Amino acid sequence: MRTERNVIGLALGSGSARGWGHIGVLHALSEAGINPDIVCGTSVGALVGAAYLCNQLDMLEDLVRSLHVRDIVRYLDIKLVEGGGFVQGKRLMDFLQKHIGIQSIEELPKIFATVATDLNSGRETWFTKGPLLDAVRASIALPGIFTPVKLDDKWLVDGGLVNPVPVSLCRAMGAQAVIAVNLNGDIVGKHLRKSRGKPVKGKEASTERKLLEKLSAGLKERAISIMPQPSGTPGLFDVLASSINIMQDRITRSRMAGDPPDVMLTPRLGHIGLLEFDRAPEAIEEGRACVKRMLPALKDALRLKEFWQ
């Protein structure tokens, strides 16, 4: 029997705007006295995980709770141009550079790693050292949305394509007990059902439509196929978002079957769309609520791990 605590890993999964739920999860875990030794993130999980380990989680929470569509447009620098996506991401990275301060993964107080996908080989790329913001930017490069990143002669995109909830990376980094946060548990079909056959206008307009309406007049015509069609036929964005949802759900199920975590946290966030970053308050609260629902299981799992290892 061991008396010392086991090494706890936290795997923060992908999920775009649903990822603000990670903020609530991290706060609730800390309040329960559960502090991970290792944090691994995919996509938005990498971004939130980096802010957490840089002691900037409160700063990030204050920012995202106050986000409006105009702010999202400003940070995402949306442009319909060549380059593999219509979000450049430079303004977001500049903002993080200004507030996070820490330059490299090695400077962080705990073990941290992110996942990206090699666009050529389809293999996972793990960032366990080197520039922190490069690791985050590569991991969040959602195909069709963010432009890919070129690092070391590789074109890299979102890690959610290959490892949406990086349990395996946590274990590879030395975790003996892994808590996973899966944001993709109830997402299949949600985006498509929300928009199909409904006129999208006024207060009911989606964040995606509001974002694209901020484009210059010359770009609006090019963007029109992205929007849901009045006939009920899904627009390009609907197809893209729903396809990403299906892919991440299926890959997550497959990876979890082969390498299950000790505890799975699944916030109920399927109603939040891919780019609805302005819905942070409800995502954060659901992240907290999810931990509270699972607290008995969390404490039991971690206690059992201590006893048997």
Side-chain angles (χ1 to χ4, degrees):
M1 176 176 175
R2 291 182 52 161
T3 55
E4 69 270 18
R5 180 175 67 80
N6 278 275
V7 177
I8 299 173
L10 180 63
L12 300 176
S14 60
S16 196
R18 295 184 295 275
W20 300 147
H22 288 316
I23 297 173
V25 167
L26 284 162
H27 281 312
L29 287 175
S30 178
E31 290 162 8
I34 300 172
N35 298 298
D37 306 287
I38 297 167
V39 178
C40 296
T42 296
S43 194
V44 68
L47 191 156
V48 176
Y52 167 67
L53 292 183
C54 290
N55 199 30
Q56 293 295 328
L57 193 63
D58 289 340
M59 177 278 296
L60 182 62
E61 180 175 2
D62 289 343
L63 169 68
V64 301
R65 279 186 178 274
S66 65
L67 279 179
H68 296 285
V69 173
R70 64 180 179 273
D71 303 309
I72 299 171
V73 172
R74 185 172 75 251
Y75 286 121
L76 295 187
D77 53 346
I78 296 174
K79 298 177 183 179
L80 289 182
V81 296
E82 294 182 2
F86 61 87
V87 174
Q88 305 296 307
K90 185 178 185 302
R91 290 178 187 169
L92 175 62
M93 290 300 107
D94 288 345
F95 173 83
L96 293 175
Q97 181 69 59
K98 177 181 177 181
H99 287 84
I100 283 180
I102 291 178
Q103 300 296 315
S104 68
I105 293 174
E106 292 91 331
E107 295 177 57
L108 294 170
K110 297 182 180 181
I111 296 172
F112 179 66
T114 74
V115 183
T117 303
D118 186 329
L119 197 56
N120 182 53
S121 68
R123 295 175 180 170
E124 291 181 50
T125 296
W126 291 353
F127 289 87
T128 60
K129 58 183 179 180
L132 176 61
L133 292 186
D134 283 355
V136 171
R137 178 62 180 88
S139 190
I140 67 172
L142 189 64
I145 308 296
F146 278 88
T147 54
V149 176
K150 190 172 186 180
L151 294 172
D152 298 327
D153 294 324
K154 294 180 181 179
W155 283 105
L156 301 171
V157 292
D158 197 297
L161 271 69
V162 288
N163 199 349
V165 187
V167 174
S168 58
L169 180 51
C170 276
R171 297 202 191 281
M173 300 303 290
Q176 297 165 310
V178 177
I179 302 166
V181 186
N182 176 19
L183 304 176
N184 305 317
D186 62 344
I187 58 174
V188 173
K190 291 292 180 71
H191 192 281
L192 201 58
R193 285 196 296 271
K194 182 170 66 174
S195 62
R196 183 183 294 158
K198 295 182 180 180
V200 217
K201 59 183 179 180
K203 291 184 179 179
E204 295 182 359
S206 67
T207 301
E208 294 90 30
R209 174 175 285 276
K210 292 177 185 176
L211 288 172
L212 292 170
E213 284 176 351
K214 300 294 182 181
L215 294 170
S216 66
L219 291 176
K220 285 182 182 177
E221 186 175 348
R222 294 172 60 190
I224 206 159
S225 65
I226 295 176
M227 306 316 305
Q229 305 302 308
S231 64
T233 303
L236 175 59
F237 194 90
D238 284 316
V239 174
L240 177 62
S242 296
S243 298
I244 289 171
N245 285 348
I246 292 168
M247 174 197 70
Q248 293 202 335
D249 175 68
R250 296 300 181 259
I251 295 173
T252 299
R253 290 172 184 266
S254 176
R255 295 297 299 254
M256 294 300 98
D259 192 2
D262 295 278
V263 182
M264 175 81 83
L265 303 178
T266 310
R268 298 164 185 164
L269 297 170
H271 59 287
I272 296 180
L274 201 67
L275 293 183
E276 291 183 322
F277 293 104
D278 53 332
R279 298 180 69 176
E282 57 190 291
I284 293 169
E285 294 313 310
E286 172 54 22
R288 281 184 173 275
C290 178
V291 172
K292 290 179 181 178
R293 290 193 298 269
M294 293 295 294
L295 201 51
L298 278 163
K299 290 185 175 179
D300 284 347
L302 297 178
R303 189 178 299 119
L304 286 171
K305 273 282 176 180
E306 286 184 19
F307 182 82
W308 290 110
Q309 296 225 358

